[in-house]
Each structure stands twice: as C-alpha cells, then as structure tokens.
Amino acid sequence: MIRTVARKIYIILIFIFLYAPIATLMILSFNASRTRAKWGGVTLHWYISLFDNREILQALWNTLFIAFISSFIAVVIGTVACIAINYMGKHKRAIVMGITNIPMLNADIVTGISLMLLFISLGIKLGMGTILLAHITFNIPYVILCVMPRMKQLNPSTFEAALDLGASPAYAFFKVVFPDILPGVLSGFLMAFTMSLDDFIITHFTKGAGVDTLSTKIYTEVKKGIKPEMYALSTIIFVTVLLLLFLINKAPKEKLD
Amino acid sequence: MKNNGIARKLLSAPYIVWAAIFIIVPLGMVFYYGLTDKTGAFTLENIAAIMSAEHAKALWISLGLSLISTVICFFLAYPLAMILANMNVSQHSFIVLIFILPMWMNFLLRTLAWQTLLEKTGVINNVLSFLHLPALNIINTPYAIVLGMVYNFLPFMVLPIYNSLVKIDPNVVNAAKDLGANGIQTFFKITLPLSVPGIISGITMVFIPALTTFVISKLLGGSKILLIGNVIEEEFTQAGNWHLGSGLSIVLMIFIIVNMVVSAIFDKDGEGSFL
C-alpha cells in the first residue's frame, strides 16, 4: 500500500518537473503585462495580436513547411533504404547502419557545423533549401529506426508468394509489404516531424539571413525579451497536439499496434 | 534473379548517395578545416588550441556539468522506468508519447520558462517564501545549467531504460524469486544486468547533447559560464575562425567516438534503442 502510494508520488513529481515549464508558458500567454517578470492580469490580447504579427506567422509557416516536407522526403528515402538494407549481407548492413547512426549519436552542433561547411564550400546559398536538406538528413535515421523493426518482422515468403502469383514487385510491395510496415512508417513520420519542429541547433547553423523558423526567431528574441504572442502561439500548438492525441486515443482502436 | 540484384542496388542507391553527400563528406570537411590553417597548410594547432587556458577550462566545465547531469538523469530515470514497466500499461506508445509530448512546446521556450520559475522573484521562490523556506538562488549559476540539462534530456534516459526493462522475460525474474532470491538480490543479479543495454544508450543520449550544448548555458547560465559548445558556436557565428572551430569540434568528436564504441560493445543488437 505504502509502496504504491510512494510510486504514484514519484511519478507525479517527475511529471510536475517535466510539465511545469509548459504550464508556465501557457500562463504567461494570458499575462496582460508585456514582461514575463510581472503579472498584469488576464488577457486574450496576445491571441488576437498574434494574427497581425506577420513575422511570427511567417516563421510558423516556415517551421511547418520544413517539418512537413523534410519528414515526407525522409520517410520516402528512409523506407526505401530499409527495404534495401533488409536485403543486404551482414557486413554491408553493419556499415550502412553504422553510418545511419552518425547523425543521431553525433552532437547536433557538429552536424550543424559540418553541413554549414559543406553548403558554403559548394557555393549553395544558405536559406530555406539548406535548412530542408539538413532536416531531411537528420530525419532519415529516425525513420529507419522506426521502420526497420517492422521490416525484420516481415515474413519474406508473403512478398515472394505475391510475385509468384503474378504481381509486379511494385504492386506486391504496396499490397503486401507496405500495409505491414505502415505503423512503423507513420511513427517514423511523426518522430521526424517532431524532431524537425523542435530543432534549433542544426537550423541555427544552416539557415541564411532573413529566413527564420520559430526556434531561430525565439533565439534572436531572447535578449530583447520574448514577444508574448510567441507564448500564445506555442500554447495553441501544444493544445492542438494534445487534443489530436486525445482524439486518436479515444477513437476506436484499429489494428495499428 | 540477376534482375533482382540490380533492383536491390537501385533501391539502396538514393540513401547511400544521400548519406555520402550529407553525412560523410561534411564530416570530412570538419576534419579538413580542423587540420589546416588559413593558407590551407596542414597543422595541428587548431586541435592543440584545446590546451589553452580558456578552452581547457570550458572543456572541463562541460565535462563536469554533463557528467553530473547524466548521473542525476540516471538516478531519476531508473526508478521511473521500473515503475512504468511494472504498470502494465497496455499501450506502450502512450508512455513514449508522454515523454515526446513536451517537444511540441519549443525547446528554447521550455528552457526559458525555467528562468521565470527560478528567478529571485520567480514562481519557485514565491512558493518557498510562502512556506517560510529559504530562497533558492540558482539562476545564472552552474546549478541552473545542470537543471536545464536534466530537464531537457531526462526523457532520453527514461525511454531506453524503460524499453530494455519491458523486454525482460518475467519468467526469469520469477525463477530468481522461486530459487529464493529476495527483492534486492533479484534486482542486482537479474533486472539491472539485463537492462544494461538501455542504460548505456541512455547515458549516450544524455551525455553527448549535454556535453555539447551551447543553448542551455546561454539561456540559464547568464552567458557568464562558457561551455565548449559556446566556444565553438562563437568561433563560427562571431569570431569567424572556422579552422579553430573545426579543430575544437574534432576534440569533441573524440569523446563522441569513445562513447559510440562503448555503446556498440554493450549494445550489439541495438536492444536498448530509443524507441
């Protein structure tokens, strides 16, 4: 009895630790005072003025655009890579997986710097394009990480059976293999999207002047003081995701798991 | 069948080309810049620069703070992972989600929120003074940086340990108990050794980002405390000495490689992976 209570208290404490800053930001989004040091009463002002702030809206658009496109491309390249890796010999597979692990295990600052050096020496102008290339690069490993276990569980005979029955390889893939690995592909996409959305360090080094994502925008605002609209926007994003997850969990559970 | 071989090569081509251009070549460039001077001549000066008083100090502080953070993360995460693993939650993904969810609130904002919480007149101190407890003045000190590191990287310790604990066959634990082992013995002889892959990958995933961060120290350390990440970042964005910055990055990579080798030895099958 005491043990279960102690366990519950421990979990609650950790959750307070993890979610206290998030609650703080949400409360700040309703703060009528412009500085976060003072409480000036409750207002919805920032939620309204947010939609007049073109800079923040542009940064939001850039962030979502980069996250979506980079995760999508990473999912395509990563899934195809998983199929190929699955057919590789033990040796080759070890090398490819080793290289795949580099962006995940390497420090973000080193990945960012290395990509920046590459783009600059190739004469590619830093901007949206370079951010996208960088995000695809660090997203692919997350996709492979999510899809690979599903791939390993596949029964190779089903694909071969489809071929024997006259399906083309592409048709057999989409009819037989793809449905089985779909949960891995989806979680890979979600993971990549989240990582891309939350990334600051790699974007910081691969972005050019004039292009901002929400992260880099916040970073430049740190010294001047964060605009309260930013808190409002973050609250909207967080609550939206929370509601979506709640709805997904409430929805009749399909055979995803 | 021959046809198949070509098809397989075609399938692996996009990723291998991508990885070569965007993973291997850029790392090569860091080594090129780190090992040459402005005229392009070979030099070890940029790497030796780590020995200079200022850089060595930054490296020591980074190593110290990231080690402390990793240890704290481990001791917070292990009991939590055990409790979660024993809860028999039917949805494994739900637990992962709870720890991934904070990432949907921007990482910089979440870290900045700790400023509001920790400040002299901040939320925590208001609560403490209400309870007639002494105030906590840790903002702009190394303690605040450690707190920021633990806060940001704790999920990366919990998830791998949780994954390796869930995979332990309950029969093995039951067998130990049947054979007369008490709770403590079972833990140290069975549970802990079997969760080593998760622990190792957790340590890697906390230690490396903590060692190399420049954001947390900037936001919570009041830019008084320079970590090695701050030094490198400034070389690239302000000082503009890419050769020195790359040289120091190579030093960082030595730590990263040692860490990768250690985790490869302990975690041969990738059992303790993040997901």
Side-chain angles (χ1 to χ4, degrees):
Chain A
M1 192 50 203
I2 294 169
R3 266 182 92 160
T4 46
V5 172
R7 282 176 179 180
K8 277 200 179 122
I9 291 174
Y10 189 72
I11 291 187
I12 290 168
L13 284 179
I14 296 268
F15 276 72
I16 291 176
F17 177 61
L18 284 179
Y19 284 88
I22 292 172
T24 309
L25 293 168
M26 287 181 169
I27 293 167
L28 281 175
S29 74
F30 297 107
N31 184 3
S33 152
R34 211 163 223 296
T35 64
R36 65 183 166 75
K38 258 197 341 223
W39 180 252
V42 180
T43 179
L44 284 174
H45 176 71
W46 311 121
Y47 285 87
I48 298 157
S49 62
L50 166 68
F51 291 95
D52 296 324
N53 192 323
R54 294 215 12 221
E55 274 180 51
I56 289 184
L57 291 181
Q58 181 65 43
L60 170 67
W61 165 249
N62 288 347
T63 309
L64 292 176
F65 178 79
I66 290 164
F68 188 81
I69 301 286
S70 72
S71 328
F72 183 78
I73 297 176
V75 161
V76 175
I77 297 178
T79 308
V80 172
C82 278
I83 303 167
I85 292 169
N86 214 22
Y87 282 123
M88 280 175 187
K90 211 178 167 193
H91 222 68
K92 216 175 156 196
R93 176 199 289 238
I95 295 172
V96 175
M97 287 310 278
I99 295 171
T100 303
N101 278 331
I102 291 176
M104 291 209 302
L105 294 177
N106 203 347
D108 279 357
I109 185 171
V110 179
T111 308
I113 286 167
S114 69
L115 284 165
M116 173 186 136
L117 289 176
L118 174 82
F119 294 141
I120 290 180
S121 35
L122 287 179
I124 304 174
K125 202 168 164 290
L126 294 182
M128 271 302 244
T130 50
I131 303 177
L132 259 179
L133 290 172
H135 279 228
I136 295 168
T137 305
F138 76 72
N139 276 340
I140 293 176
Y142 288 107
V143 175
I144 292 183
L145 199 76
C146 291
V147 178
M148 213 49 201
R150 290 273 164 183
M151 215 57 140
K152 276 188 191 157
Q153 287 166 10
L154 274 185
N155 181 354
S157 314
T158 52
F159 180 68
E160 275 158 29
L163 292 185
D164 286 347
L165 293 169
S168 72
Y171 186 82
F173 172 76
F174 281 108
K175 281 285 170 187
V176 177
V177 178
F178 193 68
D180 274 347
I181 61 169
L182 187 61
V185 173
L186 287 179
S187 64
F189 180 84
L190 197 68
M191 191 79 191
F193 194 89
T194 311
M195 289 298 166
S196 170
L197 202 79
D198 200 42
D199 174 70
F200 164 70
I201 297 173
I202 294 170
T203 316
H204 178 61
F205 287 106
T206 52
K207 85 179 188 85
V211 185
D212 266 318
T213 64
L214 286 175
S215 294
T216 60
K217 186 113 193 62
I218 292 166
Y219 191 70
T220 49
E221 276 184 7
V222 166
K223 278 194 186 126
K224 297 180 277 176
I226 304 283
K227 293 206 176 70
E229 286 94 340
M230 206 54 113
Y231 300 131
L233 175 62
S234 309
T235 305
I236 295 175
I237 295 175
F238 189 80
V239 171
T240 312
V241 172
L242 202 65
L243 285 177
L244 280 177
L245 287 176
F246 187 73
L247 286 178
I248 291 169
N249 269 332
K250 275 274 161 183
K253 199 138 170 48
E254 289 173 50
K255 48 178 180 175
L256 279 187
D257 268 87
Chain B
M1 271 290 120
K2 257 180 203 165
N3 218 339
N4 238 338
I6 297 168
R8 283 171 196 176
K9 281 222 168 70
L10 273 177
L11 281 178
S12 66
Y15 177 57
I16 288 177
V17 170
W18 190 283
I21 298 175
F22 294 106
I23 298 177
I24 306 294
V25 174
L27 282 182
M29 306 224 34
V30 173
F31 277 94
Y32 171 77
Y33 272 92
L35 294 171
T36 56
D37 60 18
K38 285 199 171 89
T39 60
F42 175 79
T43 176
L44 286 174
E45 231 172 69
N46 300 316
I47 293 177
I50 193 67
M51 308 292 238
S52 78
E54 177 202 356
H55 296 155
K57 189 182 164 213
L59 182 64
W60 277 119
I61 296 176
S62 306
L63 278 172
L65 295 185
S66 52
L67 273 176
I68 294 169
S69 306
T70 310
V71 171
I72 294 176
C73 276
F74 173 73
F75 283 108
L76 285 179
Y78 206 97
L80 182 67
M82 278 190 82
I83 296 170
L84 293 175
N86 285 329
M87 280 202 324
N88 287 326
V89 179
S90 56
Q91 272 179 301
H92 163 84
S93 55
F94 180 69
I95 286 176
V96 176
L97 268 180
I98 288 170
F99 288 97
I100 302 280
L101 193 61
M103 287 186 196
W104 283 82
M105 202 87 166
N106 189 281
F107 147 64
L108 295 162
L109 284 182
R110 269 183 290 138
T111 309
L112 273 174
W114 278 106
Q115 275 190 359
T116 310
L117 289 169
L118 291 172
E119 269 165 344
K120 276 198 182 114
T121 54
V123 176
I124 291 177
N125 276 335
N126 276 330
V127 173
L128 286 177
S129 76
F130 181 75
L131 297 170
H132 298 288
L133 288 169
L136 194 68
N137 284 321
I138 66 165
I139 189 74
N140 299 344
T141 67
Y143 296 105
I145 298 180
V146 169
L147 186 129
M149 287 174 174
V150 172
Y151 170 71
N152 271 302
F153 306 131
L154 183 63
F156 300 119
M157 185 68 91
V158 177
L159 292 176
I161 295 179
Y162 168 76
N163 281 335
S164 63
L165 286 176
V166 172
K167 277 182 198 150
I168 294 176
D169 185 348
N171 290 328
V172 181
V173 178
N174 291 337
K177 285 187 177 150
D178 284 349
L179 292 169
N182 61 30
I184 296 166
Q185 283 173 322
T186 317
F187 175 75
F188 282 105
K189 297 262 178 192
I190 308 287
T191 314
L192 190 64
L194 284 175
S195 62
V196 164
I199 297 171
I200 298 292
S201 75
I203 289 174
T204 311
M205 297 195 67
V206 173
F207 181 67
I208 296 299
L211 177 70
T212 58
T213 185
F214 65 94
V215 182
I216 295 173
S217 45
K218 206 158 191 165
L219 297 184
L220 297 178
S223 56
K224 269 179 266 167
I225 301 151
L226 281 188
L227 300 186
I228 191 71
N230 297 87
V231 176
I232 295 175
E233 195 256 349
E234 276 168 22
E235 284 308 329
F236 277 93
T237 55
Q238 288 160 35
N241 190 344
W242 296 0
H243 296 274
L244 179 57
S246 302
L248 297 177
S249 303
I250 294 175
V251 177
L252 270 190
M253 273 198 269
I254 295 169
F255 288 97
I256 296 165
I257 290 166
V258 169
N259 214 309
M260 277 167 87
V261 170
V262 172
S263 57
I265 291 169
F266 279 98
D267 191 14
K268 289 194 182 85
D269 323 310
E271 275 175 31
S273 61
F274 180 49
L275 291 166

